[in-house]
Amino acid sequence: MAHSRLPIHVANKRAFVWDVEDIAKLRSQHHICGILVGTLPHLSQQNVFLGVPLVLMPEEVVLLVEKEIAVLVDDPNVYPEPTSAQLKKWMTEQHAIVQHQQTLFEANVKDNKDVKGPDRAMSEEAIRKRKERELRRQQKLLEQQNSPLHLNDEQQNPSASISTSQALSHTENETNSSSFNITVPAVSSSLEWYNSSSCSYTTIESAKEAGIWDYPSDLHDRAKCGVFRDLWEQGYFMGGGIRFGGDYLIYPGDPLRYHSHFAATVIDSPSSDLLPMEIVAHGRLGTATKKTHLFCGWNDDKKQVSYLSVEWAGFG
């Protein structure tokens, strides 16, 4: 059963999902959204469009593990030291990928030589400017190397001169070699030395004993988990509600398609104090943002949730 569960990678007691298919499955089949926090290359609006990994709320993690949908993986310890044979095999594969890319690049350059027109001119212009930038950078490094201050530094620290020479040599080699891309996979489970068998935990209790997870740790945490689970079982989607003065925003469907109907606040127990000022503030804020504020009371003895909705209405 554990092998069919989705892996949740835990590092520093934070939960991540790296596989795009797992993220889609969590959202479409289990109405778990999380928050994407990874940046996307070559994208200008990094604060609007984010990518993998997906960070899960602690309540989402507890729910997924208790429902036997996911398993916790101690991410820092699933990568043991590879053997020399494994490392050699991996380096050979990477070298083959680079050679394949260089072959394609050289074939593309050869084909472009036979093509006349603005595309070829632009390509040649870009290559020329790139070479000029590299030459200017190398010239600047040489000037710094020949400056009196740099010569004094060399006398005091000869290794700095050697490092600079090596850097120049490396730059020249890079300029003369064909271009190629380095692909860094989001999920490293394909590595031959990846081993999660001894670092996977199917229950929250076992993860706590291993020291990789500590939620829930008190009554407030248990109350949030209980409320989250009850709303989830009713078919709602939940997201963070701090911007609207609550613990959660509650959506009737996928947040990409629906606005939230409720902003929810978790009340730890039936005996917890609820000040009139809180009721007024939440009611007015919810009404101003076109939401109903939902007070969710947790009974830790009965493991039940009671709800009280508040809307601000005009009197006349």
Side-chain angles (χ1 to χ4, degrees):
M1 180 84 179
H3 295 289
S4 62
R5 298 187 188 183
L6 302 179
I8 297 176
H9 301 269
V10 178
N12 294 327
K13 297 182 180 179
R14 297 187 68 190
F16 302 88
V17 180
W18 286 92
D19 192 281
V20 175
E21 293 183 359
D22 291 344
I23 294 173
K25 188 174 181 181
L26 284 174
R27 193 178 191 105
S28 61
Q29 297 183 20
H30 306 296
H31 44 93
I32 294 292
C33 298
I35 303 174
L36 291 168
V37 297
T39 56
L40 300 174
H42 307 298
L43 193 64
S44 58
Q45 295 178 322
Q46 293 286 351
N47 59 333
V48 178
F49 301 102
L50 298 174
V52 294
L54 182 82
V55 175
L56 296 175
M57 292 189 295
E59 302 92 314
E60 292 175 322
V61 175
V62 173
L63 173 74
L64 291 170
V65 173
E66 290 181 346
K67 289 288 186 179
E68 299 185 351
I69 297 171
V71 59
L72 297 181
V73 178
D74 184 10
D75 206 53
N77 293 318
V78 296
Y79 306 98
E81 190 73 22
T83 64
S84 57
Q86 290 173 333
L87 192 58
K88 184 177 180 181
K89 180 182 177 182
W90 179 82
M91 293 181 67
T92 301
E93 292 173 352
Q94 297 303 306
H95 184 66
I97 293 172
V98 170
Q99 284 188 324
H100 178 66
Q101 290 189 36
Q102 289 178 337
T103 302
L104 294 177
F105 176 79
E106 292 169 0
N108 187 37
V109 170
K110 184 178 180 181
D111 292 340
N112 287 337
K113 287 182 179 179
D114 299 330
V115 178
K116 295 181 179 181
D119 291 342
R120 181 188 172 191
M122 288 178 63
S123 177
E124 290 178 347
E125 181 70 12
I127 293 173
R128 183 183 66 79
K129 289 183 177 180
R130 179 180 175 185
K131 289 182 178 179
E132 288 178 355
R133 286 196 300 269
E134 288 293 334
L135 288 173
R136 284 197 297 269
R137 190 160 70 90
Q138 292 179 23
Q139 184 65 30
K140 186 175 180 180
L141 287 172
L142 287 172
E143 290 175 357
Q144 292 176 351
Q145 193 175 24
N146 294 328
S147 66
L149 179 62
H150 185 80
L151 290 173
N152 291 335
D153 290 341
E154 282 184 5
Q155 293 174 358
Q156 297 175 2
N157 186 12
S159 62
S161 176
I162 297 173
S163 299
T164 305
S165 301
Q166 290 175 345
L168 281 171
S169 176
H170 180 67
T171 302
E172 291 174 358
N173 291 335
E174 283 187 336
T175 306
N176 294 330
S177 64
S178 300
S179 299
F180 61 89
N181 296 321
I182 297 176
T183 303
V184 179
V187 183
S188 300
S189 56
S190 59
L191 294 174
E192 190 174 342
W193 56 87
Y194 179 91
N195 182 14
S196 62
S197 59
S198 61
C199 303
S200 298
Y201 304 92
T202 57
T203 64
I204 296 298
E205 289 73 20
S206 61
K208 285 183 176 181
E209 291 175 1
I212 70 166
W213 192 254
D214 58 7
Y215 194 95
S217 60
D218 54 25
L219 176 59
H220 184 63
D221 292 348
R222 293 197 301 273
K224 293 183 73 174
C225 287
V227 169
F228 188 92
R229 178 171 183 151
D230 190 71
L231 291 168
W232 181 86
E233 289 176 344
Q234 296 181 53
Y236 290 108
F237 284 71
M238 269 76 68
I242 187 64
R243 290 180 299 172
F244 295 90
D247 293 302
Y248 308 115
L249 288 180
I250 303 175
Y251 301 83
D254 193 307
L256 294 175
R257 300 178 59 191
Y258 297 91
H259 288 290
S260 58
H261 287 184
F262 301 96
T265 296
V266 176
I267 309 298
D268 293 352
S269 72
S271 60
S272 297
D273 294 332
L274 187 60
L275 300 177
M277 188 66 72
E278 293 182 71
I279 299 175
V280 174
H282 287 308
R284 288 181 67 90
L285 177 59
T287 303
T289 55
K290 299 180 180 179
K291 304 181 194 317
T292 298
H293 201 91
L294 194 65
F295 291 101
C296 310
W298 172 250
N299 189 320
D300 201 47
D301 295 328
K302 298 181 179 179
K303 308 299 180 185
Q304 293 178 351
V305 187
S306 57
Y307 298 99
L308 173 66
S309 61
V310 178
E311 272 189 288
W312 191 259
F315 296 94

